[in-house]
Amino acid sequence: MAAQLKPKLDALEARLASLSLPEGGWSAAARKDALSRLGAMGLPHARDEYWKYTRPDTLNAPEAPKAAVFEGSETPVFSARDRLKITFVDGVFDPEQSDPLELEGITIERLAEAGTKDIHWAKDLYGVLEVAGQTPVERPLAALNTAFATDGILIHVTGTPSKPVSLVYIHQDPGSDAILHHAVKVESGGEITLLENGPAAARFNKVLEVDVADGGKFHHVRAQGRDHERRAATHIFARLGTESLFKSFTMTANGVLTRNECVIEFTGDDAVAHVAGASMGDGDFHHDDTVFVTHDAVNCESRQVFKKVLRNGATGVFQGKILVKKDAQKTDGYQISQSLLLDDDSQFLAKPELEIYADDVACSHGSTSGAIDETALYYLRSRGVPRREAQDLLTLAFLAEALEEIEDDSLAEEIRERLDGWLARRRS
Amino acid sequence: MLEIKGLEVKLEEEDKQILKGVDLSIEAGTVHAIMGPNGSGKSTMSYVLSGRDGYEVTGGTATLNGEDLLALEPEERAAKGLFLAFQYPVEIPGVGNMTFLRTSLNAQRKLRGEEEISSADFLKLVRAKAKELKIDAEMLKRPVNVGFSGGEKKRNEILQMAMLAPKMCILDETDSGLDVDAMKLVSDGVNALRDAGRSFLVITHYQRLLDHIKPDVVHIMSNGRIVKSGGPELALEVEHNGYADILSEVA
Ligand SMILES: Nc1ncnc2c1ncn2[C@@H]1O[C@H](COP(=O)(O)OP(=O)(O)O)[C@@H](O)[C@H]1O
Ligand SMILES: [Mg+2]
């Protein structure tokens, strides 16, 4: 263990040399704690079991590897929606491209203003779920985030706002390194939809903490930007009270390296959490979904649905765990991770795990890796659909189960169109 | 319409000859039936005509209205008017039946350089055709053939045929697994499409289907060849005496 810790601490020391702790105000104590946690863990290492399939070095490096800014002609997703838009350019809040941070039913604050205001509810949340998520598995990049995040959006949901809050991330500087930390507290009876889209930065470290009180509802739809060379390590930490709902869907197209961790803990009975992802990679693409769901309450339902389409040597990773504690009876846990390999060069690495201590539970998991169904392809072609179009139709069909996890039909349709567009651009 | 001359086919993966010189000529507006023992090569012939992978044509020709079928991609054959109702219709999870029908119809139109059908016209057409085949809205919404009963799958094949309005229709054991009512629906569907510009090749084991869809010519296929052809009475002979007499007579 000690032998392994040394390089992790060395990596941390190198990284810390290029970072400075922001003026924290109410968040100062949480940042200081995070820094000391981090000091005990060091940064992730290739020999860590949890980083077996994804190399952490470029996520750790003192400087963000450069990433060319992608020039696409498409209008960004969600643009046409009625929403409260909040824009960050290379991790810096841009008031010009943002709406006033006001919406009936919620209050919105910025982490960067922590020095000037005391926000008690945020103080009780900031870094708290991240700490809880550090056991049983260490997540050093999340601790790093809590300590050094330069900004973020803090949302207190007391009602049901009329439109979603939409975080838009723009990448402009090829060397940008962004660290943002958002926190959402959904009070009893509150309901909110959070949208996120855009490539954010050359390297993006993001944490989202979501605390859903009894009966609260949280919906999340995210589209990770199309920049080919960007890197991202993101964490979602969610805590669910009684009869609460949490639904998170992520679409990832392109990006040279993405690690999305999602840590969910049920603390109240009868709650529901669904987390899903559809990712599509072409060429130099490495996409890792790492999910940890802890059932510590009775009669809760969790679903993990992850689908990856991989071509031209792209790599997909899934590490998913369902932990059912001794008293979490009547747990319904489901997990599926599947890849569609469009050629022999692409690969999918999956590590599904169940750890169950309660006796009255229904948990299932499955993981598959396969190619396009040749018989279905022939059937479609025999009806007049050309090969590439038929292949795309079957690819979208493969992703459909993940998209079904988006509750709002118009959002699901918008995401489907984006996936279709991604495929269509590769048709020839 | 369809001209097959000396067609020889082997499996791509194995050295197994399946069709050993098939000759068949189907004029426009006629209905031909093919009967024959299991394993004689009937499905193989229909797959090869529609362009399925895994077979190698080692001899002979097949043309549709004078055009070399075997040189075309499966989708091009479809656009030129060839249709195969599958013996075992394929399930496609995640693709809705309506999407499948609309995509097929528009893809064929596009390949032929025609305009896409409008959503309103498509809906009108599909509702009318589905009603005739007693296919309800629920079945149209479900993923293609997923969870369909055997009979539903076969009716769904005929719905596709009715929507796509092909010129040369091959029906591979469309009657197997159908009860009497479904058989009637399917036959009515086929008969409604009969006209001077359209031909049918009906593969079946049973006279029963041919009572509904009256063939002009009946062929017997055995061991990769058409060994006997005749009028509708040939099907009756098979019905009464099985294949043994015919096969021993031509051997
Ligand atoms: N893909 C295949 N692999 C192996 N054998 C095949 C394949 N396709 C056809 N055959 C063989 O070819 C012969 C003809 O089959 P088929 O065309 O299905 O006959 P039919 O439809 O007349 O019952 C059978 O012996 C069958 O086993
Ligand atoms: Mg057959």
Side-chain angles (χ1 to χ4, degrees), chain A residues 373-376 378-387 389 393-394 396-398 400, chain B residues 47 50 52 73-75 78 83-84 86 92-93 95 100 104 107-108 111 145 157 160:
Chain A
D373 178 346
E374 288 295 329
T375 308
Y378 161 60
Y379 191 57
L380 279 160
R381 294 181 75 196
S382 81
R383 297 304 182 242
V385 186
R387 174 187 280 280
E389 212 181 316
L393 197 62
L394 294 173
L396 284 175
F398 164 79
Chain B
Y47 287 146
S50 80
R52 187 173 196 159
E73 297 293 334
E75 56 269 28
F83 181 89
L84 168 63
F86 283 53
I92 316 184
V95 176
F100 175 69
S104 304
Q108 289 202 10
L111 285 172
N145 293 325
E157 293 291 289
Q160 292 163 37

Side-chain angles (χ1 to χ4, degrees), chain B residues 81 105 160-167 169 193 198:
Chain B
L105 188 56
Q160 292 163 37
M161 188 166 86
M163 293 291 295
L164 297 170
K167 294 267 170 275
C169 311
L193 285 167
R198 185 172 285 126

Side-chain angles (χ1 to χ4, degrees), chain B residues 135-156:
Chain B
I135 289 174
D136 60 19
E138 176 60 28
M139 243 175 93
L140 288 172
K141 260 192 251 154
R142 289 203 323 241
V144 180
N145 293 325
V146 177
F148 287 27
S149 71
E152 285 174 336
K153 284 181 181 170
K154 296 299 177 78
R155 273 188 281 150
N156 204 30

